[in-house]
């Protein structure tokens, strides 16, 4: 017996997760893609690529070898160069090749371009999340640049190129470019109107002096930044090189040492009379970047759903292949209760994020304005708990740095913070409702009508509407935000004719339920939910 154990080191250990079609194995995702008329064959190919053992290992290696800042070369010349591991570059080339940075804007996908791209983002983030920061920012910056058509036209071909070109060269000499952003400063953070960075007009451009406390992906070819002009806070595009080919006045001070997101470089930067061109009207910086912010917030929700999916897949892969007390873990009722409850959460959140992406595609402006911050709030804040519960399913193996769950757990809180933390999202829901109260109430009424097909939500709807109209609504902002998002999730399931819509309504929107996963009575639907989450 002992000799056999020594010869088989995998005794009662689950197999490594890899060489999986992340699209086809994920029934809620595949159903959403079919519902919105997307190219299922192409998305399956994408799912196989990101689910391959080789691609998943690139994610491990990129995070074990984080970027390094080289401020000077060996001769003392300022270079401000961030050095990445080849695994990071390989992931960047893959995601740009799949068009995740620009396909929503290049006309290549007439059927649901935003939704189709969102599916690929959801798949890519399961392989590795950090490299998707510049991918997301490039996609979102196009939204802001549309307010300055001549400038966008000048950059368009390089931005939309499917060729990844990491060389530190002027943008016009490259085969493809990426865009980043620098908005927040050390004294203001979320309050960008407190920015002190200044822009001084010099002929047909400005020169910017100041700093940014967080500027991610510092090796991007240009950055959208906010600076104070004579007419107020304004948005600018700042390239890494001036028009004469010389280096622009960006001086990277250091890279942030972050909890997670290790493969991605986030920097502190100073601007020393840095060349930049205005984007949008002077003094309208916040209004100019709002389209960009809405796109990045949608990406935060989609990527967080992908992270939860990957965590649940790890858990299901383990419990189906691990036996305890003479039975597989997946056959034991207590474990089924936990895994199925997690799967129910993913059923709803996948339906919700792709319903939101579809709304953007279809120009459902009122829906998107009201629900984007609410969806980001719910999905991103759910991620750490879902990932933790999935990690616990693996026991001690889940806590090991040699397996992906530890990295995933450190990544899980990020999207809830990026582009506005929980309170910011809740307050944005209130602002959206206050700006267009009739449209907001019509949106809520439509959600109630659809959700009511699956579950009686009268009490919740009444409470939401009464609270929204109350003079002290800000005190209950988080309640409103979460309640609205869960109502929208139920409506998305009902609209999709999901067999689990009523179950979600009873488990998540009715009173008398506890907060931990595994405590809900799922009416013996455990196996069906687990099999949809990851095909057995």
């Amino acid at each position: 017996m002992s000799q056999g154990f020594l010869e088989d080191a995998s005794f009662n250990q689950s197999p490594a997760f890899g060489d999986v079609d992340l699209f086809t194995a994920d029934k809620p995702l595949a159903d959403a893609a079919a519902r919105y008329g997307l190219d299922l064959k192409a998305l399956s190919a994408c799912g196989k690529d990101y689910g391959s053992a080789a691609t998943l290992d690139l994610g491990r290696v990129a995070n074990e070898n984080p970027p390094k800042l080289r401020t000077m070369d060996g001769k003392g010349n300022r270079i401000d160069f961030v050095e990445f591991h080849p695994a990071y570059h390989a992931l960047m080339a893959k995601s740009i090749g799949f068009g995740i940075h620009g396909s929503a804007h290049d006309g290549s996908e007439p059927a649901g371009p935003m939704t189709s791209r969102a599916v690929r983002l959801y798949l890519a983030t399961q392989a590795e999340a950090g490299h998707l920061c510049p991918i997301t920012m490039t996609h979102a910056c196009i939204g802001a640049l549309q307010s300055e058509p001549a400038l966008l036209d000048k950059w368009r071909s390089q931005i939309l190129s499917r060729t990844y070109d990491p060389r530190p060269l002027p943008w016009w000499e490259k085969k493809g470019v990426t865009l980043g952003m620098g908005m927040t400063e050390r004294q203001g953070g979320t309050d960008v109107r407190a920015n002190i960075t200044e822009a001084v007009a010099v002929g047909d451009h400005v020169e910017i002096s100041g700093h940014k406390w967080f500027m991610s992906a510092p090796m991007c070819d240009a950055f959208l930044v906010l600076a104070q002009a004579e007419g107020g806070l304004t948005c600018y595009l700042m390239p890494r090189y001036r028009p004469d080919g010389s280096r622009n006045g960006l001086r990277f001070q250091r890279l942030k040492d972050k909890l997670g997101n290790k493969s991605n470089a986030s920097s502190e930067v100073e601007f020393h009379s840095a060349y930049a061109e205005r984007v949008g009207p002077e003094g309208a910086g916040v209004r100019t970047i709002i389209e960009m912010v809405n796109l990045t917030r949608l990406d935060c929700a989609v990527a967080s759903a992908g992270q939860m999916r990957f965590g649940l897949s790890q858990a299901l892969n383990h419990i189906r292949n691990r036996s305890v007390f003479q039975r597989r873990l997946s056959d034991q009722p207590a474990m089924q209760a936990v895994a199925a409850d997690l799967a129910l959460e993913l059923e709803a959140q996948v339906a919700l994020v792709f319903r939101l992406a579809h709304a953007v595609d279809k120009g459902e402006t009122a829906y998107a304005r009201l629900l984007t911050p609410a969806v980001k709030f719910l999905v991103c804040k759910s991620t750490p708990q879902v990932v933790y519960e999935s990690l616990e399913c693996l026991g001690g193996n889940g806590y090991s740095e040699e397996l992906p769950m530890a990295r995933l757990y450190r990544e899980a809180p990020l999207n809830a913070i990026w582009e506005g933390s929980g309170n910011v999202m809740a307050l944005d829901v209130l602002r959206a409702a206050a700006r267009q109260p009739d449209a907001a109430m019509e949106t809520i009424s439509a959600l109630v009508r659809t959700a009511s097909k699956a579950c009686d939500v009268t009490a919740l709807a009444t409470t939401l509407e009464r609270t929204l109209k109350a003079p002290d609504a800000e005190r209950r902002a988080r309640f409103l935000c979460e309640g609205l998002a869960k109502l929208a999730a139920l409506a998305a399931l009902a609209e999709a004719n999901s067999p689990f819509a009523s179950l979600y309504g009873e488990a998540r929107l009715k009173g008398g339920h506890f907060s931990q996963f595994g405590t809900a009575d799922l009416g013996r639907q455990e196996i069906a939910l687990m099999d949809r989450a990851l095909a057995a």
Side-chain angles (χ1 to χ4, degrees):
M1 175 67 73
S2 61
Q3 182 63 34
F5 173 75
L6 292 174
E7 291 174 354
D8 185 1
S10 62
F11 178 68
N12 201 26
Q13 289 281 348
S14 56
F17 185 87
D19 294 329
V20 175
D21 180 348
L22 296 175
F23 176 76
T24 303
D26 183 344
K27 282 291 291 177
L29 176 66
D31 285 354
R35 189 159 59 248
Y36 299 126
L38 307 184
D39 186 340
L40 305 187
K41 184 177 179 180
L43 293 175
S44 176
C46 186
K48 289 175 183 175
D49 195 329
Y50 284 111
S52 71
T55 301
L56 294 175
D57 201 50
L58 287 175
R60 175 189 65 80
V61 174
N63 282 273
E64 290 179 356
N65 297 274
K68 298 176 183 178
L69 174 61
R70 310 292 189 192
T71 57
M72 305 283 185
D73 67 12
K75 298 298 180 74
N77 299 305
R78 188 92 195 196
I79 57 173
D80 293 282
F81 180 77
V82 180
E83 184 178 77
F84 291 90
H85 190 273
Y88 172 90
H89 290 303
L91 289 162
M92 285 290 294
K94 188 182 297 295
S95 291
I96 285 178
F98 276 117
I100 303 176
H101 70 303
S103 64
H105 309 283
D106 66 8
S108 62
E109 297 182 86
M114 196 68 68
T115 310
S116 180
R117 176 199 168 269
V119 172
R120 296 197 300 279
L121 173 68
Y122 172 100
L123 296 169
T125 199
Q126 296 181 56
E128 204 286 307
H131 83 285
L132 292 167
C133 177
I135 300 292
T136 278
M137 290 190 298
T138 302
H139 159 74
C141 284
I142 297 172
L145 287 171
Q146 287 172 348
S147 65
E148 204 65 49
L151 187 58
L152 177 56
D153 286 345
K154 186 166 66 172
W155 284 75
R156 185 187 302 274
S157 63
Q158 272 98 336
I159 293 173
L160 298 179
S161 168
R162 299 277 179 111
T163 299
Y164 173 57
D165 188 346
R167 296 176 297 167
L169 295 173
W171 65 269
W172 58 88
E173 297 180 13
K174 299 182 65 170
K175 298 176 181 177
V177 300
T178 55
L179 304 178
M181 60 185 72
M183 304 296 169
T184 60
E185 299 180 7
R186 62 170 62 90
Q187 78 283 351
T190 300
D191 183 9
V192 294
R193 295 189 185 278
N195 283 6
I196 58 176
T197 293
E198 292 184 343
V200 177
V202 181
D204 62 352
H205 68 282
V206 301
E207 297 200 345
I208 294 179
S209 297
H211 79 282
K212 296 298 171 186
W213 188 234
F214 275 93
M215 193 162 83
S216 282
M219 288 308 292
C220 285
D221 297 282
F223 306 88
L224 283 181
V225 301
L226 291 176
Q228 297 287 357
E230 187 175 338
L233 192 66
T234 304
C235 184
Y236 297 95
L237 183 68
M238 180 187 292
R240 284 183 57 84
Y241 290 83
R242 299 174 72 92
D244 63 4
S246 63
R247 295 184 185 277
N248 207 358
L250 290 81
R251 302 289 183 265
F252 299 120
Q253 304 303 299
R254 63 172 178 167
L255 301 184
K256 298 287 191 181
D257 186 7
K258 298 169 292 186
L259 169 67
N261 202 242
K262 296 290 189 179
S263 71
N264 177 43
S266 300
S267 66
E268 296 170 20
V269 63
E270 290 182 355
F271 304 137
H272 296 264
S273 299
Y275 175 98
E277 295 180 81
R278 180 174 50 79
V279 179
E282 187 172 296
V286 173
R287 190 169 75 244
T288 300
I289 67 168
I290 200 66
E291 288 304 317
M292 177 198 70
V293 169
N294 286 335
L295 291 175
T296 53
R297 286 176 175 177
L298 174 57
D299 273 15
C300 285
V302 171
S304 286
Q307 290 169 25
M308 286 188 279
R309 165 65 61 212
F310 191 68
L312 179 56
S313 294
Q314 299 299 307
L316 290 169
N317 180 63
H318 180 76
I319 66 176
R320 286 170 175 164
N321 293 281
R322 175 81 165 176
S323 294
V324 177
F325 308 126
Q326 289 77 53
R327 281 193 302 173
R328 288 188 307 168
L329 281 170
S330 59
D331 293 332
Q332 302 196 24
M335 181 60 80
Q336 288 180 355
V338 174
D341 211 0
L342 292 168
L344 179 63
E345 191 71 13
L346 263 295
E347 285 279 342
Q349 297 204 10
V350 168
L352 177 60
V353 296
F354 290 108
R355 177 63 182 87
L356 178 58
H358 178 68
V360 176
D361 272 328
K362 294 300 181 183
E364 297 176 13
T365 306
Y367 182 103
R369 281 178 179 165
L370 184 65
L371 285 172
T372 295
V375 171
K376 180 183 182 296
F377 178 95
L378 176 64
V379 179
C380 296
K381 292 186 77 64
S382 300
T383 305
Q385 186 180 7
V386 170
V387 169
Y388 163 70
E389 289 289 359
S390 298
L391 184 155
E392 188 177 294
C393 290
L394 276 73
N397 281 353
Y399 212 61
S400 168
E401 288 288 355
E402 295 176 324
L403 294 172
M405 289 304 297
R407 168 163 56 95
L408 185 63
Y409 186 60
R410 288 194 301 273
E411 189 76 28
L414 176 60
N415 285 329
I417 298 169
W418 191 34
E419 295 297 2
S421 56
N423 282 351
V424 174
M425 294 301 97
L427 294 173
D428 275 2
V429 168
L430 291 180
R431 277 191 284 269
R435 286 193 191 104
Q436 295 184 311
D438 292 341
M441 288 303 174
E442 288 174 10
T443 299
I444 293 172
S445 296
L447 292 174
V448 169
R449 288 194 298 272
T450 305
S452 295
K453 298 174 184 177
C455 179
D456 181 5
V457 295
T458 305
L460 174 62
T462 300
T463 303
L464 287 175
E465 292 185 13
R466 182 175 65 246
T467 307
L468 190 58
K469 295 175 181 177
D472 62 343
E474 186 173 329
R475 183 177 61 85
R476 302 297 313 282
R478 283 197 171 206
F479 166 79
L480 280 166
C481 194
E482 182 173 345
L484 178 62
K486 288 184 174 178
L487 177 65
L490 176 59
L493 287 172
E495 190 176 292
N497 296 314
S498 169
F500 304 107
S502 297
L503 191 59
Y504 178 82
E506 293 295 329
R508 301 294 192 265
L509 276 74
K510 293 298 187 71
H513 294 289
F514 296 107
S515 62
Q516 296 301 313
F517 287 107
T519 59
D521 183 354
L522 301 181
R524 301 192 183 283
Q525 293 292 308
E526 289 88 353
I527 299 300
L529 282 161
M530 290 160 60
D531 285 347
R532 282 179 57 80
L534 182 70

